[in-house]
Amino acid sequence: MQRKRYAPGRTGSTARTAVVLALGLGLGAGLTACSAGTPADDIAVDAKAGPAVPVAPPGRYRTLFEPCGAVPQASLKDLLPGAAALPDAERDKAYRGVAAVTYDTDRRVGCTWKADTPDISHRLSLDIERVVSYDAAVSDDDRAQEVYVRKQLAAGIPVPPTAPPTPTGTATGTPSATGGPTTTATPPGKPTTTGTPPASGAPATGTTATGPTPTSTGLEPRVLDGLGEVAYIDDVLGTAGANSHQRVVSVVFRTSNVIVTVSYREQTAGSTEAPDSAELQEKARNLARQLAERLEE
């Protein structure tokens, strides 16, 4: 029996086309469902992240000025009187100063000047530091204030309170002048705080005196007003030999995230008199004011 040759019919082709179309529609629907679900997934992830943490503002200063050229020559002549007697080449060298070695001049710079004579020597040093906070929650200014406070406390100068202390515990009594409670019990060895003079006849110690004491000269290490945002001055007298005295006066101030330290030293030889504190403090403070004005430019 002769077999007939197979010829594809219309029915088989239609079936295959239908299958292809069905697969295509199914794949398209799946892709549409995936793309439609993507934004919802993103929204769910963002919702779990929580609110954005605020970033503390940066400091005012990004760079520092060149220190050796920051002090006018007229000021150097006043601060280094012994340089006038030096030969021209040595005098010019003394006025140029020597820059401090630092690894990042945008973060810290310094300079030193000195002039020596057989009887007296002067040394001036300048240190400028730009403080940067690496904590996003702490501003550069706040970090600089922390550094400044550590310097002031290291000099033995108390930091003035910024607000009255908050009473703690269950102590009873009448409020004191500072806002804290005054307890009725007096610790051993401490003066009374009731305002009644002690039996020895000493004055009452119920309030703290803020003015100069009878032995105060007004030149003691202290906080300064009108210089930068915060400032203090330190004054240390020492000896450098049998008949030699030296006095070092330091003025430190902060403006935004920059801390400036001016250190001025005078050393005498063969003299029983110590360097004059008032003169050195005035010269150091005048230079600090000039540098504060430079920062405001």
Side-chain angles (χ1 to χ4, degrees):
M1 179 177 179
Q2 185 178 3
R3 292 183 297 178
K4 294 182 179 180
R5 188 168 51 183
Y6 175 77
R10 185 183 296 267
T11 302
S13 175
T14 303
R16 284 194 298 271
T17 302
V19 171
V20 172
L21 290 175
L23 291 175
L25 290 174
L27 180 59
L31 293 175
T32 303
C34 292
S35 60
T38 301
D41 294 341
D42 292 343
I43 293 174
V45 171
D46 292 341
K48 293 179 181 179
V53 178
V55 178
R60 175 180 175 183
Y61 301 99
R62 294 287 187 273
T63 59
L64 299 172
F65 54 78
E66 197 281 315
C68 292
V71 182
Q73 188 167 354
S75 299
L76 289 173
K77 289 181 178 179
D78 183 47
L79 292 163
L80 307 173
L86 298 175
D88 293 345
E90 295 184 19
R91 183 172 62 250
D92 293 342
K93 181 179 179 181
Y95 290 154
R96 283 196 303 268
V98 179
V101 178
T102 61
Y103 297 99
D104 187 351
T105 54
D106 285 337
R107 291 290 305 276
R108 193 164 198 163
V109 294
C111 192
T112 302
W113 301 261
K114 64 178 181 178
D116 299 332
T117 65
D119 298 328
I120 192 170
S121 65
H122 293 87
R123 184 179 185 274
L124 171 68
S125 64
L126 176 61
D127 179 81
I128 308 172
E129 178 182 4
R130 183 175 69 91
V131 180
V132 177
S133 173
Y134 294 101
D135 187 345
V138 181
S139 68
D140 292 345
D141 287 18
D142 290 341
R143 186 68 74 201
Q145 177 64 13
E146 294 175 4
V147 176
Y148 169 85
V149 168
R150 286 197 295 267
K151 289 177 177 288
Q152 181 170 326
L153 294 177
I157 303 174
V159 177
T162 56
T166 303
T168 57
T170 57
T172 59
T174 58
S176 64
T178 59
T182 302
T183 59
T184 56
T186 303
K190 297 292 183 179
T192 59
T193 57
T194 58
T196 304
S200 60
T205 57
T207 58
T208 302
T210 57
T213 61
T215 59
S216 173
T217 62
L219 299 173
E220 293 78 11
R222 63 199 181 278
V223 173
L224 297 176
D225 296 326
L227 179 61
E229 297 179 22
V230 285
Y232 71 85
I233 187 169
D234 192 18
D235 191 326
V236 179
L237 177 64
T239 58
N243 295 321
S244 180
H245 301 272
Q246 73 171 12
R247 184 182 294 275
V248 180
V249 173
S250 301
V251 177
V252 182
F253 70 90
R254 179 184 70 82
T255 298
S256 184
N257 60 321
V258 169
I259 300 174
V260 179
T261 302
V262 176
S263 181
Y264 186 41
R265 185 193 72 186
E266 179 178 308
Q267 181 174 323
T268 60
S271 174
T272 58
E273 294 184 2
D276 185 67
S277 179
E279 179 183 0
L280 268 63
Q281 288 194 19
E282 181 181 2
K283 291 182 177 181
R285 293 181 65 177
N286 287 340
L287 177 57
R289 291 191 196 97
Q290 294 177 13
L291 297 173
E293 293 174 357
R294 175 70 180 269
L295 287 172
E296 295 298 329
E297 294 178 356

